[in-house]
Amino acid sequence: MKVTIVNDTTYRVSSAVSQSFKAKPDPLNLPKKTAQALINRGDAVLFDPETKHQGD
């Protein structure tokens, strides 16, 4: 699932593993469960190539 990270955040994958993400306009391809959790928390949005602004 392609998402754009809008806030610096950390996501705990399991009790021993976590991932950190930095806010940037480039889309990331993440597993659906991870992407949905970040979207639900407000730290990511679905990537939409129609609204991507290049050169801003």
Side-chain angles (χ1 to χ4, degrees):
M1 184 176 235
K2 281 194 174 186
V3 297
T4 301
I5 305 297
V6 294
N7 300 316
D8 291 351
T9 188
T10 302
Y11 174 70
R12 183 167 296 277
V13 178
S14 68
S15 61
V17 179
S18 64
Q19 291 181 302
S20 295
F21 301 96
K22 295 285 185 183
K24 59 182 180 177
D26 302 325
L28 294 175
N29 195 10
L30 299 175
K32 187 175 184 177
K33 182 178 177 183
T34 302
Q36 194 61 54
L38 294 176
I39 291 168
N40 290 346
R41 292 186 343 194
D43 293 326
V45 294
L46 277 175
F47 175 70
D48 182 3
E50 297 291 323
T51 61
K52 182 172 168 67
H53 300 288
Q54 295 185 0
D56 286 358

